[in-house]
Amino acid sequence: MCGIIGYIGNKQAQPILLNCLGRLEYRGYDSCGVAVSNSSIEVYKDVVRVGALRKASPRIKGTIGIGHTRWATYGEPSQVNAHPHCDCHGSIAVVHNGIINNFQRLKHQLISEGHNFVSETDTEVIPHLIEKYYRGNLEEAVEAALRDVDGSYALIVLRVGEPRLVAARKDSPLIIGIGDRENFIASDVPAMLDYTDRVMYLEDGDIGVVTPNSIKVRSDGMEVTREEHKISWSVADAQKAGYEHFMLKEIHEQPKVIRDTLGEYVQATEPVVDLAVMRDEGIESMLILACGSSYYAAVVGKYIVEELLGIPVRAELASEFNYFSRPLARTGAIVITQSGETADTLKAIKRLKEVGCPVLAITNVVGSTASRIADQTIYTRAGPEISVAATKSFTAQLMVLYWLALSYSQVDIKRLTDIRRLADMIMGLRQLPSKVQQVLDNEGKIMECADYLSAYEDMFFIGRGINFPVALEGALKLKEISYIHAEGYAAGELKHGPFALLGSDTPVIAIVDPDSTYEAMLTNIREVQTRRSPLIALAEDGDEAIGELADFVITVPRVDAIFSPVVNLVTLQLLAYHTAKKKGCPIDFPRNLAKSVTVE
Ligand code: AGP
């Protein structure tokens, strides 16, 4: 999952490319590079972050260029494997995001035809293929080259002496930014927001030919038009607004994100999504598919829908679903994906559609691939989420799931298990922004606990019912950014094995909700303490019993049990953030991770 950028205009390309690459670093950051064309193509790349490349790279003159920030797939991070990659004569340069599955065979073929390769990457076959097919027309040579390629790609091609850039996409995102006597090509919108808020999304199979004053798009050899969109996100949205890290900023944005996401749907005059379709098709069960944090939101969604609508719900990992299971008849399918570009989730959408199963996508990125291949899309309104660790997007996904279940209960009234519940739910939803603000106001207490936890290397998170997936997500957040080995577990499961790992060096974080699971949680907490593990409890204000039992209590505001995942999770997000901060970890760019995973 790399970030690619292209610039063509009347300004010096290098500083613009480096600035945009800086905004793309959350997509991959093990190496980076730029190529600028003037009388020849000059390439500067290295195993450094963009900031260091900016300092080290010589000034390269030219108003056309391409850039790349990498997350290695084929070929370890090295100067020679960094992008851009060139052909034998250095006259064609390419940046690529995706994977070329048949590159080994193509490489052998090209070597037998006299081409010299310098890197271990799959991408390097592309400039050599373009060189092989070039007969004076760059886009035709790119089209011919891509006919040989099997795999996923978003790529930009630069050729010396050519006053244009050629871009192509298949299964990886690519967007054109429209300027005044200049144009941009990028993997996503935040990269270009300093320069334009007018964009055009390329579709799979599109070839874009971009000059300073024109944009032409071809698909299957035919000229096509792609709609121009105006982006509502501001540059500020994509900046830190005075917070030390994007993650902390995004955690603190959640009261607004809840208002924005709910506000959009509760006030909508037109139905945001046609739930009647699901009723009319006699949907009898639901299948929710996703990956990573979005999958844990899907599991919370299972509890919400089953409780409110009494419809059986399967929440499944998209990567597993793609190989092992299939939707049942009369199943409504929902996929959840913040980026809208996660390869496993996109593949699941395609599989569902192949068997005629209607797919509703919940995504945060307008125009993302998921939003364009699903039958219907509901957008979370979390704004750009830059930090690799998902926080506000998770909460926004829960808001959509609450709203979906509520709306569906009104469409199919016989489904609603308890009519009074509807009014309580709407009231509870409206109070959530202020409840989350209370959690944020309690940050000092959470920081104390984080200081305590930062000394440990292993720990467990436990919860029951709707807070079991919250324990899973809490553990994932801590793993991702603090590198502490943490496991989320259903509280009732610890005694079936993990007890063996408990002891004074393995704290347990217990999510204790005053619902039907309360007594059982107290029992589990006593069992943990008998095995000398330090016990940190998330519990409601004024819960004395827990106060006596736990070594550390973080109080959370009183909410309806069905909303407890929201306040508990924001608490665990802050706990993970401050534990990682205490350990001095690179919070926004954790090692080995990337924001959207666009390969299987
Ligand atoms: C979460 O913090 C991670 N960034 C990761 O698990 C993420 O949730 C997963 O890759 C799914 O991404 P998506 O929501 O964009 O599909």
Side-chain angles (χ1 to χ4, degrees):
M1 304 33 66
C2 308
I4 69 176
I5 183 76
Y7 172 79
I8 183 162
N10 48 18
K11 302 189 187 77
Q12 288 305 308
Q14 185 186 18
I16 294 173
L17 294 170
L18 290 166
N19 183 47
C20 297
L21 279 180
R23 299 218 182 287
L24 285 171
E25 259 194 318
Y26 70 94
R27 299 178 61 85
Y29 35 85
D30 59 40
S31 51
C32 57
V34 294
V36 175
S37 175
N38 41 43
S39 54
S40 66
I41 290 184
E42 288 185 59
V43 176
Y44 195 86
K45 57 183 182 175
D46 204 352
V47 189
V48 292
R49 299 284 297 272
V50 173
L53 192 83
R54 180 184 284 115
K55 288 205 189 79
S57 54
R59 283 198 55 193
I60 312 173
K61 285 199 160 314
T63 59
I64 311 177
I66 56 178
H68 185 276
T69 179
R70 186 172 189 233
W71 194 70
T73 44
Y74 288 112
E76 65 173 15
S78 69
Q79 201 272 345
V80 76
N81 288 338
H83 296 212
H85 287 286
C86 296
D87 65 330
C88 299
H89 305 96
S91 55
I92 295 169
V94 170
V95 289
H96 167 230
N97 170 34
I99 284 196
I100 309 297
N101 302 326
N102 61 343
F103 84 97
Q104 300 285 26
R105 184 178 60 70
L106 293 171
K107 189 171 179 175
H108 290 136
Q109 172 70 30
L110 288 159
I111 290 172
S112 70
E113 293 166 5
H115 290 258
N116 305 321
F117 280 72
V118 293
S119 80
E120 303 150 297
T121 67
D122 52 333
T123 301
E124 196 184 354
V125 293
I126 299 171
H128 286 281
L129 283 170
I130 297 169
E131 178 185 25
K132 172 179 174 179
Y133 292 116
Y134 187 76
R135 301 284 179 278
N137 181 310
L138 187 58
E139 69 255 34
E140 283 173 8
V142 173
E143 274 176 349
L146 294 176
R147 277 193 282 278
D148 291 355
V149 163
D150 162 39
S152 64
Y153 51 79
L155 54 87
I156 310 170
V157 182
L158 171 69
R159 187 178 187 284
V160 67
E162 292 264 355
R164 63 183 59 79
L165 290 173
V166 175
R169 74 149 288 166
K170 178 178 166 295
D171 294 339
S172 287
L174 201 56
I175 303 156
I176 294 179
I178 306 158
D180 175 19
R181 286 164 297 129
E182 59 183 5
N183 287 313
F184 305 79
I185 306 165
S187 296
D188 66 16
V189 168
M192 304 179 281
L193 281 179
D194 288 329
Y195 307 96
T196 180
D197 58 2
R198 299 166 56 207
V199 300
M200 186 188 284
Y201 296 93
L202 290 181
E203 308 269 350
D204 276 352
D206 282 0
I207 303 261
V209 180
V210 182
T211 72
N213 302 307
S214 70
I215 297 166
K216 244 185 354 172
V217 181
R218 288 151 57 102
S219 184
D220 295 330
M222 307 288 292
E223 193 134 343
V224 292
T225 52
R226 295 292 176 234
E227 198 189 335
E228 177 179 327
H229 296 258
K230 189 163 175 37
I231 298 296
S232 58
W233 294 344
S234 69
V235 175
D237 284 342
Q239 287 171 337
K240 287 187 193 141
Y243 287 91
E244 188 179 351
H245 295 100
F246 282 111
M247 184 177 180
L248 189 62
K249 173 195 172 223
E250 289 156 6
I251 291 174
H252 279 264
E253 283 176 341
Q254 296 185 88
K256 176 178 178 307
V257 165
I258 293 172
R259 273 191 291 276
D260 291 354
T261 299
L262 286 177
E264 164 112 5
Y265 306 128
V266 174
Q267 271 114 27
T269 48
E270 298 301 311
V272 172
V273 74
D274 185 355
L275 292 167
V277 170
M278 292 168 95
R279 178 200 55 211
D280 302 348
E281 279 159 8
I283 294 295
E284 290 176 356
S285 71
M286 280 196 191
L287 172 64
I288 313 181
L289 297 171
C291 302
S293 287
S294 296
Y295 168 68
Y296 296 141
V299 182
V300 176
K302 168 185 165 57
Y303 287 90
I304 295 169
V305 173
E306 288 187 345
E307 182 189 328
L308 289 180
L309 302 179
I311 290 180
V313 177
R314 280 162 51 203
E316 285 196 23
L317 289 164
S319 54
E320 284 297 299
F321 171 82
N322 288 338
Y323 291 94
F324 300 107
S325 62
R326 54 184 295 114
L328 302 171
R330 285 185 294 289
T331 290
I334 297 175
V335 299
I336 305 178
T337 166
Q338 186 284 129
S339 61
E341 303 296 350
T342 300
D344 290 320
T345 308
L346 297 181
K347 187 167 181 171
I349 297 176
K350 291 172 185 157
R351 276 199 77 231
L352 289 162
K353 292 184 65 120
E354 276 155 21
V355 293
C357 182
V359 182
L360 172 64
I362 299 174
T363 185
N364 191 46
V365 179
V366 177
S368 60
T369 307
S371 69
R372 284 181 286 105
I373 63 175
D375 300 291
Q376 298 191 70
T377 299
I378 299 183
Y379 289 111
T380 53
R381 296 300 180 198
E385 188 172 65
I386 308 291
S387 174
V388 167
T391 54
K392 60 179 180 174
S393 62
F394 189 102
T395 301
Q397 289 162 357
L398 293 194
M399 291 312 116
V400 172
L401 291 162
Y402 287 128
W403 178 81
L404 259 180
L406 275 182
S407 317
Y408 194 57
S409 65
Q410 289 159 44
V411 167
D412 193 347
I413 204 72
K414 70 178 185 310
R415 287 268 178 215
L416 183 66
T417 50
D418 172 347
I419 197 85
R420 279 186 313 284
R421 193 97 177 86
L422 198 58
D424 296 348
M425 287 278 306
I426 294 174
M427 173 66 79
L429 274 177
R430 289 224 161 89
Q431 291 167 346
L432 271 182
S434 62
K435 296 287 181 180
V436 168
Q437 190 55 52
Q438 286 176 43
V439 173
L440 299 174
D441 299 342
N442 188 28
E443 191 166 359
K445 184 79 180 171
I446 297 170
M447 287 166 75
E448 279 173 39
C449 182
D451 287 359
Y452 171 77
L453 286 179
S454 62
Y456 293 90
E457 284 311 314
D458 302 283
M459 57 191 74
F460 284 93
F461 288 70
I462 58 173
R464 280 178 175 266
I466 199 169
N467 282 298
F468 164 41
V470 175
L472 295 169
E473 173 61 5
L476 177 64
K477 284 287 94 67
L478 195 69
K479 273 191 282 251
E480 281 187 277
I481 61 169
S482 74
Y483 310 151
I484 290 174
H485 173 237
E487 282 199 59
Y489 248 83
E493 274 299 300
L494 275 192
K495 57 184 172 291
H496 301 293
F499 266 8
L501 296 177
L502 296 189
S504 57
D505 55 2
T506 307
V508 173
I509 290 102
I511 304 166
V512 188
D513 220 54
D515 62 5
S516 56
T517 67
Y518 186 74
E519 290 308 324
M521 275 307 284
L522 288 191
T523 308
N524 297 137
I525 288 173
R526 292 193 187 91
E527 291 162 348
V528 165
Q529 290 196 307
T530 334
R531 288 152 184 85
R532 308 216 172 298
S533 271
L535 197 284
I536 290 89
L538 268 62
E540 263 195 10
D541 280 338
D543 184 329
E544 266 124 46
I546 289 292
E548 273 139 37
L549 274 177
D551 299 284
F552 205 104
V553 178
I554 302 173
T555 56
V556 293
R558 181 182 299 269
V559 292
D560 183 306
I562 202 164
F563 296 130
S564 59
V566 180
V567 289
N568 288 330
L569 193 70
V570 176
T571 306
L572 294 180
Q573 291 167 354
L574 282 171
L575 193 61
Y577 173 81
H578 286 292
T579 306
K581 183 145 182 284
K582 181 78 182 168
K583 295 184 66 179
C585 298
I587 287 169
D588 283 337
F589 301 112
R591 70 187 180 210
N592 301 340
L593 293 181
K595 184 65 184 169
S596 68
V597 181
T598 52
V599 290
E600 262 193 271

